[in-house]
């Protein structure tokens, strides 16, 4: 591996025009394909085969004309000022104009009714059953707030164009001029918050400052950012181009941007720092770049592979949108690796001595009696060495305490009720909750299949089926947490019962109601029907349950595959085990912190709401990959010293002497990049950014800087134990660059990257 990458680094340095032209052509080509053939991304989170989707299929079978659960429905909420009613002027005329405008839209089929007219029609149809009205009336009891429901005539939400949404928003704007309040929500009007440039600007700005302080050079500080930008650009353009062939979730580009920026900067930083160090031992810049790519590049390849394994493994969960997110992000990470391995050497070949230009600070480190660099990394390693067992206890107890809130984890999917408070979707949701109750937002639909009731006579069959439907309605209304239940549709072979909960769709009470409505054994036996439950909240609950069930298997697969990779890299059993143990601590502490801050609203930073259902499994995958990044970056230098004959304690100190500075800079950069996304409007993106930033802090600074060296001190030489039979069959990947010709390493362990930072900037 080291020899191959050594040759690649030298070739890219020597033939820099070819490599620079190649990456430029790749960017232009990807942009052209994306611009010409891309399609809108999807925001659907539905999973085929879950109970709610099976019930939706049963509904379509019994009622072919019924609205699909994934239909692009829209709900307009209109409200008169307090003390007024929608039936009064001028609000009645304003609502009538609004309804006429919506009905006249090209993509809105069928009649559209205003809330006052629709309520009157429902009351006439109810006749002697006024109790059925409570769950279906589109107007509040005081007549002030009403809803107007329709659906676009396109197959799914992804087919709703921005122009179609804009037409609805224009109609609403005109209606508001009369003093009428008009807001809109529903899947058909969902709009993923556009990536706010503030997130990237903040992250990149902090990264530039950290890089400048690390290198003391303005030119070298910009190189990792440029490298990461190329990787992210290619990754996002590739994902966008892929929409021409498959459905791609709209969160994929956000994830790819987050990871691409973070790992792209870090990988370039690692190679550039090693290159600067090698310049202290040779006047041949091409040779120095080859050595840097052969050694640091090997660590980058294997660190990147752990990230890719964790992301690709999301596919084993069997959830389409999660698989697409993982594959898109993994492809971006792969591109970032290639960019770091080739673009950095190519730019180095182009700039030559100017690569460390714009120098504003020279680093002159202190030295110990033997002449070795005495930096903060060495001092910290010595601090941990004084009481390694105490440090292990501090880390385990501290992260364990932070993990405690994780036991109260409650998951859900983002919806209108969790949207930012200044959006029209959130305003519409709040109006509905205030006027109709929280259960009105997303009622459950009980689908009743009566085909098993088959008396010989047609009239008797219909009577028995109707009696069964009435029994099911009464049974549903009698469940806990039910505000209203109404028989809203009957056909030759089935019926539909609309059930409104007393609580909002994201609440535990709503989940309990769904569970009770699916406990159908007794009612099915008594009536002879088959029952299924669907609806938006049922779909979301089923998705959360499936994701929760997949956590442990996914964790096992990711850890198993990465453990094998780390055994191959470090040629040890215990070192990969300590890496995995540290990851488990950091991920549990991260999830605990997320539950405390987002779900329980600790510190009042964010309003309390469920954790996005796919976030825990996503965090496990991404954080495991990032954790192994730091493990590889740090421990490869420790192993390099060990291979050269250093004692266990000296190997740890030498690893920290050479890597702590760069790993600290890399972790600070990742934290800055991820933290920038906390400032985005979308709550889901906020939580993703927060979780990743906190995870990097826990893993890089607590686990890798405290726990891992303490464990290595206690294990001594046993840390590198490997069974002989396994040693014989494992291929030698040479991540330390042992096969490279470096005579300077023949002596004792004295070379350091920090020492090399002293004069390299003047060459």
């Amino acid at each position: 591996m080291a020899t191959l990458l050594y040759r690649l680094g030298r070739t890219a340095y020597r033939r820099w025009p070819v490599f620079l032209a190649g990456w430029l052509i790749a960017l232009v080509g990807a942009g052209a394909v994306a611009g010409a053939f891309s399609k809108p991304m999807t925001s659907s989170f539905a999973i085929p085969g879950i109970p709610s989707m099976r019930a939706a299929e049963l509904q379509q079978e019994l009622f072919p004309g019924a609205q699909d659960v994934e239909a692009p429905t829209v709900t307009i909420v209109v409200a008169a000022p307090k003390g007024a009613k929608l039936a009064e002027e001028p609000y009645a005329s304003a609502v009538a104009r609004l309804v006429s405008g919506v009905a006249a839209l090209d993509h809105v089929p069928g009649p559209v009714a205003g809330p006052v007219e629709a309520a009157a029609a429902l009351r006439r149809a109810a006749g002697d059953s006024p109790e059925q009205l409570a769950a279906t009336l589109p107007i509040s009891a005081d007549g002030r707030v009403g809803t107007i429901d329709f659906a676009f005539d396109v197959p799914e939400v992804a087919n709703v164009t921005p122009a179609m949404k804009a037409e609805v928003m224009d109609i609403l704007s005109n209606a508001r001029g009369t003093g009428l309040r008009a807001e809109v929500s529903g899947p058909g009007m969902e709009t993923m918050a556009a990536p706010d440039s503030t997130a990237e600007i903040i992250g990149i700005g902090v990264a530039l400052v950290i890089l400048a302080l690390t290198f003391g050079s303005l030119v070298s500080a910009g190189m990792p950012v440029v490298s990461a930008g190329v990787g992210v650009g290619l990754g996002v353009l590739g994902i966008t181009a892929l929409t021409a062939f498959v459905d791609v979730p709209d969160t994929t580009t956000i994830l790819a941007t987050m990871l691409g920026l973070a790992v792209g900067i870090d990988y370039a930083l690692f190679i550039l720092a090693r290159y600067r160090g090698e310049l202290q031992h040779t006047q041949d810049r091409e040779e120095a770049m080859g050595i840097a790519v052969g050694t640091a590049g090997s660590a980058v390849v294997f660190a990147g592979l752990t990230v890719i394994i964790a992301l690709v493994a999301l596919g084993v969960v069997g959830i389409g949108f999660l698989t697409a997110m993982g594959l898109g992000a993994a492809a971006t990470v792969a591109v970032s690796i290639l960019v770091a391995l080739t673009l950095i050497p190519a730019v180095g070949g182009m700039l030559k001595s100017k690569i460390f230009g714009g120098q504003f600070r020279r680093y002159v480190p202190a030295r110990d009696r033997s002449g070795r660099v005495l930096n903060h990394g060495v001092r910290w390693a010595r601090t941990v060495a004084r009481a390694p067992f105490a440090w292990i206890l501090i880390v385990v107890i501290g992260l364990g305490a932070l993990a405690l809130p994780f036991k109260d984890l409650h998951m859900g999917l983002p919806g209108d009720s969790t949207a930012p408070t200044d959006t029209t979707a959130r305003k519409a949701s709040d109006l509905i909750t205030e006027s109709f109750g929280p259960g009105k937002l997303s009622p459950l639909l009980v689908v009743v299949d009566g085909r098993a009731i088959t008396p010989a006579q047609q009239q008797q069959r219909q009577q028995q089926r109707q009696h069964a439907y009435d029994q099911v309605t009464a049974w549903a209304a009698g469940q806990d947490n039910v505000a209203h239940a109404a028989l809203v549709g009957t056909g030759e072979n089935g019926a539909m019962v609309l059930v409104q909960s007393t609580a909002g769709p994201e609440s535990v009470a709503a989940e309990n109601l769904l569970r009770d409505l699916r406990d159908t054994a007794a009612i099915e036996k008594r009536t002879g029907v088959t029952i299924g439950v669907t609806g938006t909240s049922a779909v979301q609950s089923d998705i959360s349950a499936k994701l929760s069930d997949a956590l442990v298997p996914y964790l096992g697969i990711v850890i198993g595959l990465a453990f094998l990779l780390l055994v191959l890299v470090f040629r040890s059993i215990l070192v990969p085990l300590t890496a995995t143990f540290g990851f488990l601590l950091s991920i549990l502490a991260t999830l605990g912190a997320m539950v405390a801050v987002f779900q329980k609203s600790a510190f009042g930073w964010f309003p309390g709401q469920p954790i996005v259902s796919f976030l825990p499994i996503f965090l496990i995958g991404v954080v495991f990959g990032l954790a192994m990044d730091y493990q590889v970056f740090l421990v490869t230098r420790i192993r390099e010293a060990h291979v050269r004959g250093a004692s266990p304690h000296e190997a740890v100190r030498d690893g920290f002497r050479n890597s702590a500075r760069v790993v600290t800079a890399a972790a600070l950069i990742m934290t800055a990049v991820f933290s920038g996304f906390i400032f985005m409007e979308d709550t889901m993106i906020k939580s993703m950014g927060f979780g990743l930033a906190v995870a990097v802090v826990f893993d890089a600074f607590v686990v890798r800087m405290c726990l891992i060296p303490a464990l290595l001190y206690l294990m001594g030489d046993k840390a590198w134990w490997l069974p002989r039979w396994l040693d014989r069959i494992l291929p030698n990947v040479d991540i330390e660059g042992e096969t490279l010709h470096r005579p300077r390493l023949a002596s004792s362990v004295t070379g350091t990257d920090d020492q090399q930072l002293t004069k390299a900037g003047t060459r």
Side-chain angles (χ1 to χ4, degrees):
M1 173 66 76
T3 302
L4 178 64
L5 293 178
Y6 165 80
R7 293 171 181 168
L8 176 63
R10 292 196 59 165
T11 302
Y13 186 93
R14 184 172 63 254
R15 300 183 177 179
W16 61 267
V18 175
F19 282 83
L20 291 181
W23 285 117
L24 180 61
I25 291 171
L27 275 171
V28 173
V33 173
F37 302 105
S38 63
K39 297 178 181 178
M41 295 187 180
T42 178
S43 59
S44 173
F45 295 108
I47 303 174
I50 56 178
S52 53
M53 293 305 295
R54 292 199 300 269
E57 292 168 1
L58 177 62
Q59 178 195 12
Q60 290 298 312
E61 185 178 345
L62 296 173
F63 300 92
Q67 197 170 74
D68 189 88
V69 69
E70 293 187 274
T73 56
V74 178
T75 298
I76 293 177
V77 184
V78 289
K82 289 186 178 181
K85 296 184 178 182
L86 292 175
E88 300 171 351
E89 294 294 345
Y91 313 111
S93 297
V95 172
R97 287 193 297 271
L98 187 155
V99 170
S100 299
V102 170
L105 294 177
D106 293 337
H107 293 281
V108 177
V112 179
V116 175
E117 295 75 19
L122 285 171
R123 289 190 179 98
R124 288 193 298 271
D128 297 330
S129 304
E131 68 278 0
Q132 300 285 336
L133 292 173
T136 56
L137 276 181
I139 194 166
S140 59
D142 60 3
R144 190 178 74 87
V145 180
T147 60
I148 303 165
D149 297 302
F150 64 93
F152 291 114
D153 63 349
V154 292
E156 31 183 67
V157 173
N159 301 114
V160 180
T161 65
M164 294 161 61
K165 298 175 186 178
E167 289 176 340
V168 175
M169 296 305 298
D170 288 342
I171 293 172
L172 262 62
S173 297
N174 294 333
R176 290 169 183 150
T178 62
L180 182 74
R181 186 175 177 185
E183 309 293 348
V184 64
S185 65
M189 294 296 291
E190 282 181 359
T191 302
M192 185 70 180
D196 188 350
S197 59
T198 303
E200 288 88 345
I201 292 172
I202 292 174
I204 292 173
V206 175
L208 282 170
V209 172
I210 295 169
L211 289 167
L213 292 174
T214 301
F215 289 109
S217 162
L218 297 178
V219 175
S220 55
M223 284 184 60
V225 175
V226 172
S227 173
V230 172
V232 170
L234 272 172
V236 171
L237 287 173
I239 292 169
T240 305
L242 195 62
T243 59
F245 309 100
V246 296
D247 289 337
V248 178
D250 48 17
T251 52
T252 303
T253 54
I254 297 294
L255 175 57
T257 301
M258 282 183 178
L259 283 180
L261 279 176
V263 302
I265 292 174
D266 282 3
Y267 295 164
L269 164 65
F270 203 53
I271 292 174
L272 193 59
R274 189 63 179 250
Y275 169 62
R276 188 172 188 176
E278 293 298 327
L279 286 176
Q280 291 300 306
H281 307 287
T282 178
Q283 296 287 340
D284 187 345
R285 290 183 174 274
E286 182 181 324
E287 175 70 11
M289 186 61 78
I291 296 290
V293 176
T295 52
S298 296
V300 164
V301 168
F302 281 96
L305 281 176
T306 59
V307 180
I308 291 171
I309 285 173
L311 291 169
V312 172
L314 289 170
V316 305
V317 178
I319 299 174
F321 71 85
L322 206 58
T323 300
M325 289 176 63
L327 290 177
T332 304
V333 172
V335 171
S336 298
I337 295 172
L338 292 174
V339 170
L341 294 176
T342 58
L343 187 60
I344 292 296
V347 174
M350 178 181 68
L351 296 178
K352 301 295 190 298
S353 61
K354 295 179 181 178
I355 191 172
F356 296 109
Q359 190 176 31
F360 62 89
R361 179 181 62 85
R362 293 186 65 183
Y363 173 60
V364 182
R367 298 181 182 277
D368 59 20
R369 294 179 180 177
S370 63
R372 298 176 183 176
V373 170
L374 182 61
N375 57 21
H376 292 305
V378 175
R379 295 187 184 98
W380 179 251
R382 288 176 176 174
T383 300
V384 176
R386 293 190 186 103
F389 189 72
W391 280 104
I392 293 172
L393 285 179
I394 291 172
V395 171
V396 172
I397 294 174
L399 293 182
L402 287 170
L404 288 177
F406 177 59
K407 62 182 175 58
D408 300 321
L409 174 69
H410 174 53
M411 298 193 298
L413 283 175
D416 294 333
S417 60
T418 60
T421 54
D422 59 346
T423 61
T424 185
R426 178 61 179 270
K427 293 174 182 177
S429 172
D430 291 345
L431 274 174
I432 292 174
T433 299
E434 294 167 8
S435 303
F436 297 92
K440 182 76 170 181
L441 286 171
S442 185
L444 297 170
L445 186 66
V446 177
V447 182
V448 187
D449 184 357
R451 288 175 293 185
I453 302 175
T454 57
Q457 295 183 2
Q458 172 74 16
Q459 183 177 1
Q460 186 180 7
R461 182 163 63 245
Q462 290 302 323
Q463 289 176 347
Q464 287 190 16
R465 288 179 178 177
Q466 185 61 48
H467 180 63
Y469 304 154
D470 292 338
Q471 285 183 285
V472 171
T473 304
W475 165 80
Q479 301 297 320
D480 293 336
N481 303 312
V482 171
H484 309 287
L487 187 64
V488 294
T490 57
E492 182 181 354
N493 296 315
M496 295 181 291
V497 180
L498 193 69
V499 180
Q500 183 176 320
S501 172
T502 57
E506 297 87 10
S507 65
V508 175
E511 291 184 358
N512 292 337
L513 173 58
L514 177 62
R515 181 198 61 211
D516 293 341
L517 289 175
R518 284 179 172 159
D519 185 12
T520 59
I523 187 66
E524 287 182 338
K525 183 178 181 181
R526 185 165 72 248
T527 60
V529 300
T530 301
I531 295 174
V533 184
T534 188
T536 302
S537 61
V539 172
Q540 293 181 347
S541 180
D542 288 345
I543 292 173
S544 298
K546 187 171 179 64
L547 287 166
S548 178
D549 293 342
L551 277 175
V552 174
Y554 173 68
L555 189 61
I557 290 171
V558 168
I559 289 178
L561 290 175
F563 177 80
L564 294 176
L565 183 63
L566 292 177
V567 169
L568 179 65
V569 171
F570 296 124
R571 305 191 75 81
S572 163
I573 297 296
L574 295 179
V575 170
L577 283 176
T578 60
T580 303
F581 173 65
F583 158 71
L584 289 174
L585 284 176
S586 61
I587 191 61
L588 289 174
T590 299
L591 292 172
M594 288 197 64
V595 170
V597 171
F598 280 91
Q599 183 179 316
K600 297 187 175 183
S601 193
F603 311 113
W605 293 344
F606 306 101
Q609 57 187 265
I611 301 300
V612 179
S613 56
F614 63 81
L615 197 54
I617 199 167
F618 155 77
L619 277 177
I620 287 174
V622 174
V623 173
F624 187 82
L626 298 180
M628 296 307 104
D629 272 5
Y630 300 121
Q631 182 78 9
V632 171
F633 288 169
L634 184 63
V635 180
T636 49
R637 298 309 296 265
I638 296 174
R639 175 170 168 75
E640 188 173 334
H642 169 75
V643 168
R644 299 201 307 263
S647 67
H649 276 57
E650 182 145 357
V652 174
R653 287 197 299 272
D654 196 65
F656 270 72
R657 177 184 288 116
N658 286 286
S659 294
R661 186 182 177 91
V662 176
V663 169
T664 299
L668 288 174
I669 289 169
M670 277 201 177
T671 303
V673 170
F674 293 144
S675 297
F677 288 89
I678 298 175
F679 296 93
M680 291 191 68
E681 289 296 325
D682 191 273
T683 304
M684 180 175 63
I685 305 304
K686 284 178 182 285
S687 60
M688 289 170 68
F690 175 85
L692 288 171
V694 168
V696 169
V697 171
F698 289 161
D699 199 88
F701 299 113
V702 180
V703 171
R704 308 302 152 188
M705 293 293 185
C706 301
L707 180 65
I708 295 302
L711 290 170
L712 289 175
Y713 280 136
L714 289 180
M715 291 187 293
D717 282 326
K718 294 178 181 178
W720 308 105
W721 171 78
L722 186 70
R724 291 183 179 178
W725 64 268
L726 185 57
D727 187 45
R728 287 193 300 270
I729 65 175
L730 282 179
N732 185 7
V733 297
D734 186 24
I735 195 171
E736 297 87 14
E738 294 177 69
T739 58
L740 301 179
H741 180 62
R742 292 184 290 169
R744 66 182 177 82
L745 297 182
S747 57
S748 60
V749 184
T750 58
T752 72
D753 280 350
D754 287 324
Q755 178 181 350
Q756 296 150 4
L757 285 169
T758 307
K759 300 178 182 178
T762 63
R763 289 181 180 261

